Short mmCIF file of all heavy atoms in Angstrom, two decimals:
data_model
loop_
_atom_site.label_atom_id
_atom_site.label_comp_id
_atom_site.label_asym_id
_atom_site.label_seq_id
_atom_site.Cartn_x
_atom_site.Cartn_y
_atom_site.Cartn_z
N GLN F 27 -22.65 -24.94 55.59
CA GLN F 27 -21.38 -24.18 55.57
C GLN F 27 -21.01 -23.77 54.12
O GLN F 27 -20.55 -22.68 53.89
CB GLN F 27 -20.31 -25.05 56.18
CG GLN F 27 -19.04 -24.33 56.54
CD GLN F 27 -18.03 -25.31 57.20
OE1 GLN F 27 -18.43 -26.29 57.79
NE2 GLN F 27 -16.77 -25.02 56.98
N ASP F 36 -16.93 -15.77 49.01
CA ASP F 36 -15.97 -15.14 48.15
C ASP F 36 -15.79 -15.91 46.82
O ASP F 36 -14.73 -16.41 46.49
CB ASP F 36 -14.62 -15.00 48.85
CG ASP F 36 -14.69 -14.00 50.00
OD1 ASP F 36 -15.67 -13.25 50.02
OD2 ASP F 36 -13.84 -14.04 50.84
N HIS F 39 -20.55 -16.36 40.78
CA HIS F 39 -21.54 -17.36 40.39
C HIS F 39 -22.19 -16.98 39.01
O HIS F 39 -22.61 -15.83 38.86
CB HIS F 39 -22.64 -17.51 41.42
CG HIS F 39 -22.05 -17.92 42.75
ND1 HIS F 39 -21.73 -19.21 43.00
CD2 HIS F 39 -21.67 -17.19 43.81
CE1 HIS F 39 -21.18 -19.30 44.23
NE2 HIS F 39 -21.11 -18.08 44.70
N LEU F 47 -31.08 -12.02 27.92
CA LEU F 47 -31.82 -10.83 28.38
C LEU F 47 -31.53 -9.67 27.46
O LEU F 47 -30.85 -8.71 27.79
CB LEU F 47 -31.36 -10.47 29.81
CG LEU F 47 -31.45 -11.59 30.89
CD1 LEU F 47 -30.71 -11.17 32.14
CD2 LEU F 47 -32.90 -11.99 31.16
N ASP F 68 -31.58 -3.51 33.05
CA ASP F 68 -32.24 -2.29 33.38
C ASP F 68 -32.31 -1.34 32.14
O ASP F 68 -31.84 -1.71 31.03
CB ASP F 68 -31.67 -1.60 34.65
CG ASP F 68 -30.24 -1.09 34.38
OD1 ASP F 68 -29.90 -0.84 33.20
OD2 ASP F 68 -29.52 -0.98 35.39
N ALA F 75 -28.59 -8.03 39.48
CA ALA F 75 -29.12 -9.21 40.13
C ALA F 75 -29.43 -8.84 41.56
O ALA F 75 -28.70 -8.16 42.27
CB ALA F 75 -28.09 -10.34 40.07
N CYS F 80 -39.16 -10.05 48.67
CA CYS F 80 -39.67 -8.73 48.99
C CYS F 80 -39.12 -8.32 50.41
O CYS F 80 -39.13 -9.11 51.34
CB CYS F 80 -41.19 -8.74 49.02
SG CYS F 80 -41.87 -7.08 49.27
N MET F 182 -22.67 -14.69 20.08
CA MET F 182 -23.13 -16.10 20.18
C MET F 182 -24.65 -16.17 20.06
O MET F 182 -25.32 -15.14 20.26
CB MET F 182 -22.70 -16.73 21.51
CG MET F 182 -21.21 -16.71 21.76
SD MET F 182 -20.20 -17.64 20.54
CE MET F 182 -20.51 -19.30 21.00
N LEU F 184 -28.04 -18.72 21.22
CA LEU F 184 -28.52 -19.80 22.03
C LEU F 184 -29.26 -20.79 21.18
O LEU F 184 -30.26 -20.40 20.53
CB LEU F 184 -29.35 -19.26 23.21
CG LEU F 184 -29.85 -20.26 24.23
CD1 LEU F 184 -28.72 -20.99 24.89
CD2 LEU F 184 -30.72 -19.57 25.25
N GLY F 186 -30.30 -23.91 22.42
CA GLY F 186 -31.21 -24.70 23.20
C GLY F 186 -30.71 -24.74 24.63
O GLY F 186 -29.56 -24.43 24.96
N THR F 206 -10.28 -35.96 34.17
CA THR F 206 -9.92 -36.39 32.80
C THR F 206 -9.56 -37.83 32.71
O THR F 206 -9.39 -38.35 31.54
CB THR F 206 -8.62 -35.52 32.41
OG1 THR F 206 -7.69 -35.61 33.51
CG2 THR F 206 -8.96 -34.11 32.13
N THR F 217 -14.73 -43.46 22.94
CA THR F 217 -13.60 -44.28 22.57
C THR F 217 -13.85 -45.05 21.28
O THR F 217 -13.00 -45.16 20.42
CB THR F 217 -13.34 -45.36 23.67
OG1 THR F 217 -13.44 -44.68 24.94
CG2 THR F 217 -11.93 -45.91 23.56
N ASN F 222 -11.69 -38.93 21.25
CA ASN F 222 -10.65 -38.37 22.13
C ASN F 222 -9.91 -39.60 22.63
O ASN F 222 -10.44 -40.55 23.04
CB ASN F 222 -11.15 -37.56 23.25
CG ASN F 222 -10.01 -37.11 24.22
OD1 ASN F 222 -8.95 -36.75 23.70
ND2 ASN F 222 -10.29 -37.16 25.49
N VAL F 232 -4.39 -26.17 36.02
CA VAL F 232 -5.19 -25.79 37.17
C VAL F 232 -4.75 -24.48 37.61
O VAL F 232 -3.56 -24.14 37.67
CB VAL F 232 -4.99 -26.80 38.38
CG1 VAL F 232 -5.63 -26.35 39.60
CG2 VAL F 232 -5.52 -28.20 37.92
N ILE F 259 -9.98 -52.75 27.39
CA ILE F 259 -10.79 -51.57 27.23
C ILE F 259 -12.12 -51.99 26.66
O ILE F 259 -12.28 -52.37 25.50
CB ILE F 259 -10.13 -50.52 26.26
CG1 ILE F 259 -8.73 -50.16 26.77
CG2 ILE F 259 -11.00 -49.30 26.11
CD1 ILE F 259 -8.69 -49.23 27.97
N ALA F 267 -20.05 -49.36 13.83
CA ALA F 267 -19.90 -48.17 12.94
C ALA F 267 -21.24 -47.45 12.92
O ALA F 267 -22.29 -48.15 12.91
CB ALA F 267 -19.48 -48.59 11.55
N GLU F 328 -21.85 -15.88 13.55
CA GLU F 328 -21.15 -15.89 12.22
C GLU F 328 -21.20 -17.25 11.50
O GLU F 328 -20.71 -17.33 10.40
CB GLU F 328 -19.63 -15.52 12.47
CG GLU F 328 -18.86 -16.61 13.22
CD GLU F 328 -17.61 -16.19 13.84
OE1 GLU F 328 -17.24 -15.02 13.82
OE2 GLU F 328 -16.88 -17.06 14.35
N LEU F 405 -11.81 -22.06 50.68
CA LEU F 405 -12.94 -21.20 50.90
C LEU F 405 -13.78 -21.57 52.10
O LEU F 405 -14.34 -20.71 52.81
CB LEU F 405 -13.87 -21.14 49.66
CG LEU F 405 -13.49 -20.12 48.60
CD1 LEU F 405 -14.44 -20.27 47.40
CD2 LEU F 405 -13.59 -18.68 49.15
#
Side-chain angles (χ1 to χ4, degrees):
Chain F
Q27 194 179 330
D36 293 341
H39 300 279
L47 307 169
D68 67 24
C80 184
M182 302 299 285
L184 184 59
T206 45
T217 318
N222 177 39
V232 173
I259 303 285
E328 69 196 8
L405 271 178

